[in-house]
Amino acid sequence: MEKMNDFISLHDITKEQMEDLLKLALKLKSETKAGIAHPILKGKTLGMIFTKSSTRTRVSFEVGMVQLGGYPLFLSSNDIQLGRGETIYDTAKVLERFLDGIMIRTYAHKDVLDLAKYADIPVINALTDLLHPCQVLADLQTVYEHKGKLEGLKFAYIGDGNNMAHSIMYGCAKAGLDCAIAAPEDYQCDENVVYNAKEDFKKGGSRLLLTQDPAEAIKDADVVYTDTWVSMGMEEEKEERQRVFMPYQVNKELFLLAKPDAIFMHCLPAYRGFEVTEDVIDGPNSVIFDEAENRLHAQKAVMAALMG
Ligand code: CP
Ligand code: NVA
């Protein structure tokens, strides 16, 4: 695989790197299921900095690191000096003396970019306010497993123009899926991300549709995706958001506009009765738990590629 220094945005990696990561994720998954060990990271340590909550990301990185023969070190911002104002620069220069890689989940995307700039070891973005690339790599693996291909499919995302929407655009452009995003007027995607994504779609040859109309976005989709309306750090806007986003709820009526064999996806955590109804998320077309499981396999591929 062509060398990657960090894993921060799907915009930064090549189409070939994306394909190689997905192939490796599928291989590691089948080996794990067959009981075949792959101690690719024996003796290596990954530091995992969290300044936000997590279930899937924390558990999948920790378990993944153990399965690769390495050691995962959980670093909550409540416990490390970064949380008390130590600089990103000093943190990076110190951690690179102990660790073989750093995974970070935090608010400001710039903090991850700075950490990667200063640390001479690989840095993995495990979610910022701007992007969530690890999730989308696992999502594409899941789509591939269920559809047998990626190129030519239509991926519809309905909801907030947030970190998930951004990484989905980058991921679809690189993997050759058409992508439609429906978000309310005041909750559209970040302008810079849209600019970059449009360039990626032009290069890759698939199409991007940005609309405020959920019915237009979901029409004939192969994949239907939504995310919480209230991302971490936005709790104060909860009531206003629940009001504005209600017409964007993925319910049975809306879901029926997608292809009959469309799959439903959600990065989780989900809030039933808000962004999605029970009949859809717990219905026969939902693949949410395969998707959650694939966080493990996709991230093992990322760690193996960066630190192996
Ligand atoms: N989807 C996801 O990243 O879940 P967690 O917030 O539980 O890590
Ligand atoms: N958009 C959500 C994703 C959670 C995995 C958030 O940032 O909270």
Side-chain angles (χ1 to χ4, degrees):
M1 187 182 309
E2 199 188 326
K3 180 92 183 108
M4 298 186 302
N5 294 324
D6 302 294
F7 187 75
I8 293 180
S9 166
L10 297 177
H11 176 62
D12 299 337
I13 67 172
T14 65
K15 189 175 171 63
E16 291 68 36
Q17 284 170 330
M18 166 96 92
E19 283 168 5
D20 289 346
L21 284 172
L22 289 171
K23 264 187 224 152
L24 183 56
L26 292 165
K27 177 170 177 274
L28 293 173
K29 182 173 182 174
S30 65
E31 285 183 4
T32 302
K33 302 263 179 208
I36 301 166
H38 33 237
I40 302 167
L41 299 183
K42 195 165 184 294
K44 306 239 164 135
T45 305
L46 176 77
M48 311 193 329
I49 302 174
F50 282 90
T51 77
K52 284 175 171 171
S53 305
S54 170
T55 298
R56 280 143 290 270
T57 304
R58 176 176 175 184
V59 176
S60 55
F61 267 104
E62 280 200 33
V63 171
M65 198 58 191
V66 170
Q67 289 183 0
L68 290 167
Y71 182 78
L73 184 62
F74 177 66
L75 302 167
S76 159
S77 60
N78 294 329
D79 304 324
I80 61 171
Q81 301 289 6
L82 188 66
R84 296 181 60 250
E86 186 166 18
T87 64
I88 295 274
Y89 178 79
D90 289 354
T91 304
K93 297 322 279 177
V94 170
L95 290 183
E96 73 182 22
R97 302 288 178 111
F98 303 129
L99 301 170
D100 301 286
I102 304 172
M103 183 236 83
I104 177 166
R105 163 170 288 195
T106 194
Y107 294 86
H109 191 68
K110 184 173 183 298
D111 287 351
V112 177
L113 295 175
D114 286 346
L115 190 66
K117 182 165 88 186
Y118 300 136
D120 286 332
I121 52 174
V123 169
I124 300 170
N125 175 6
L127 181 146
T128 63
D129 288 343
L130 195 72
L131 298 172
H132 197 2
C134 291
Q135 178 68 52
V136 172
L137 190 67
D139 295 340
L140 290 170
Q141 180 185 350
T142 312
V143 173
Y144 180 79
E145 287 172 348
H146 283 272
K147 295 287 171 195
K149 64 173 186 175
L150 291 173
E151 271 182 32
L153 296 177
K154 178 177 178 186
F155 194 123
Y157 172 92
I158 314 292
D160 192 9
N162 62 9
N163 45 10
M164 281 312 313
H166 296 156
S167 283
I168 284 169
M169 283 195 286
Y170 284 157
C172 285
K174 217 126 273 182
L177 292 86
D178 290 337
C179 177
I181 308 267
E185 187 176 6
D186 295 334
Y187 298 88
Q188 295 282 315
C189 292
D190 176 86
E191 272 178 28
N192 287 322
V193 175
V194 169
Y195 178 86
N196 290 336
K198 281 184 175 164
E199 295 287 303
D200 289 350
F201 277 101
K202 214 188 291 167
K203 227 180 278 170
S206 61
R207 289 168 299 180
L208 174 66
L209 169 74
L210 299 172
T211 175
Q212 291 176 36
D213 180 2
E216 185 188 13
I218 208 169
K219 192 175 178 308
D220 296 326
D222 300 282
V223 180
V224 176
Y225 204 109
T226 189
D227 181 19
T228 179
W229 296 336
V230 189
S231 285
M232 290 180 274
M234 295 177 176
E235 290 73 11
E236 281 180 7
E237 300 171 26
K238 187 171 169 178
E239 277 176 23
E240 169 69 359
R241 284 174 164 268
Q242 286 177 346
R243 191 183 59 73
V244 174
F245 279 92
M246 214 22 120
Y248 292 79
Q249 181 184 68
V250 179
N251 50 37
K252 196 96 185 239
E253 198 188 338
L254 186 68
F255 192 71
L256 281 172
L257 301 177
K259 286 205 182 130
D261 64 348
I263 53 174
F264 173 78
M265 300 181 76
H266 190 310
C267 56
L268 307 179
Y271 300 90
R272 288 168 174 76
F274 292 97
E275 74 270 14
V276 60
T277 50
E278 274 177 35
D279 48 8
V280 174
I281 194 169
D282 301 317
N285 297 43
S286 175
V287 299
I288 55 169
F289 298 120
D290 293 339
E291 181 184 3
E293 180 192 328
N294 283 338
R295 295 295 303 280
L296 171 69
H297 310 297
Q299 286 156 196
K300 280 169 71 181
V302 171
M303 290 189 284
L306 287 174
M307 297 157 63

